[in-house]
Amino acid sequence: NAGVTQTPKFQVLKTGQSMTLQCAQDMNHEYMSWYRQDPGMGLRLIHYSVGAGITDQGEVPNGYNVSRSTTEDFPLRLLSAAPSQTSVYFCASSYSGSLATHSGQYFGPGTRLTVT
Amino acid sequence: QKEVEQDPGPLSVPEGAIVSLNCTYSNSAFQYFMWYRQYSRKGPELLMYTYSSGNKEDGRFTAQVDKSSKYISLFIRDSQPSDSATYLCAMSLKRGAQKLVFGQGTRLTINP
């Protein structure tokens, strides 16, 4: 199993540009989520999905869109990049329901995004 | 005030020392408590997962939850240089670690 994969690893954008961060998992997890990590702030939840076709907002959703057309993929779209979106972005997945006992979220390696 | 507070450190201790890492939280509805370890430029990886108050031990690691005080701890015994990392506490209202709320993370260095 590859686990949770993210592409690209690094990206530099100019203010106003748009892009999509890719996330995929091969563990058949129902639950997927996106976090951003900033110095001194820990990880903050951007958007999450409890299954294909179902998404919802987390703590810091503004400026980001998501969709979940398959169980495996959960892309994060930046609509019009701003310097405040400079961060490290992590995708995570986990089981839900009865399989969720004693399991946490599995995180990808992250995408380092700089907006100039 | 943040829902979950964690001393960011940095914390530096000699090899073999016992390390204590702590988090406090304000939302008494949190039911599930986790500790993640994050090496530099890597994604967090789950270390410990606990539910309800009490202790859970896994090798050199012990997780402790005191829901009455809204306080959780992670103890590392016989610390090794390979334990040098950032440790993040995380909490959830729901089983399966959905919608995690994280502390700021504590950067730990174990000196040989």
Side-chain angles (χ1 to χ4, degrees), chain A residues 13-69:
Chain A
L13 289 179
K14 294 189 188 310
T15 297
Q17 287 185 317
S18 63
M19 78 159 295
T20 299
L21 279 62
Q22 301 292 344
C23 174
Q25 52 91 11
D26 61 359
M27 296 173 281
N28 203 29
H29 286 166
E30 298 91 346
Y31 186 80
M32 296 186 74
S33 52
W34 277 101
Y35 293 86
R36 59 179 288 173
Q37 186 173 33
D38 302 293
M41 302 289 289
L43 283 86
R44 292 180 292 168
L45 183 64
I46 303 172
H47 285 286
Y48 66 98
S49 169
V50 298
I54 306 169
T55 64
D56 206 347
Q57 296 180 353
E59 180 186 355
V60 287
N62 292 341
Y64 308 95
N65 269 1
V66 293
S67 60
R68 183 104 179 264
S69 56

Side-chain angles (χ1 to χ4, degrees), chain A residues 10 31 35 37 40-43 45 48 50 57 90 94-98 100-105 107-109 112, chain B residues 2 8 34 36 38 40-46 49 51 56 86 88 95-105:
Chain A
F10 303 93
Y31 186 80
Y35 293 86
Q37 186 173 33
M41 302 289 289
L43 283 86
L45 183 64
Y48 66 98
V50 298
Q57 296 180 353
F90 290 101
S94 65
Y95 293 109
S96 62
S98 61
T101 304
H102 304 300
S103 72
Q105 291 195 17
F107 283 82
R112 292 183 173 272
Chain B
K2 291 177 70 69
M34 286 138 274
Y36 284 82
Q38 184 178 24
S40 181
R41 295 184 174 266
K42 301 288 187 184
E45 56 177 335
L46 182 68
Y49 179 101
Y51 168 67
K56 181 177 180 180
T86 295
L88 299 137
R95 185 173 63 178
Q98 298 180 18
K99 295 184 70 175
L100 293 178
V101 180
F102 282 86
Q104 298 96 312

Side-chain angles (χ1 to χ4, degrees), chain B:
Chain B
Q1 183 187 2
K2 291 177 70 69
E3 271 191 295
V4 180
E5 296 281 357
Q6 183 177 5
D7 187 341
L11 183 61
S12 181
V13 301
E15 183 176 355
I18 296 175
V19 177
S20 172
L21 303 167
N22 311 296
C23 288
T24 59
Y25 62 96
S26 57
N27 188 349
S28 58
F30 284 132
Q31 297 287 337
Y32 300 89
F33 305 90
M34 286 138 274
W35 286 95
Y36 284 82
R37 178 176 62 196
Q38 184 178 24
Y39 291 115
S40 181
R41 295 184 174 266
K42 301 288 187 184
E45 56 177 335
L46 182 68
L47 263 183
M48 302 287 284
Y49 179 101
T50 56
Y51 168 67
S52 77
S53 289
N55 292 352
K56 181 177 180 180
E57 191 172 315
D58 184 1
R60 296 184 294 109
F61 298 90
T62 299
Q64 191 174 79
V65 174
D66 183 346
K67 292 180 76 175
S68 63
S69 301
K70 299 198 204 54
Y71 188 89
I72 70 170
S73 299
L74 178 71
F75 298 96
I76 307 174
R77 291 185 300 280
D78 187 25
S79 55
Q80 305 293 311
S82 59
D83 295 328
S84 298
T86 295
Y87 289 80
L88 299 137
C89 63
M91 307 178 188
S92 175
L93 301 174
K94 291 186 176 183
R95 185 173 63 178
Q98 298 180 18
K99 295 184 70 175
L100 293 178
V101 180
F102 282 86
Q104 298 96 312
T106 299
R107 183 178 295 180
L108 173 67
T109 300
I110 309 297
N111 301 302

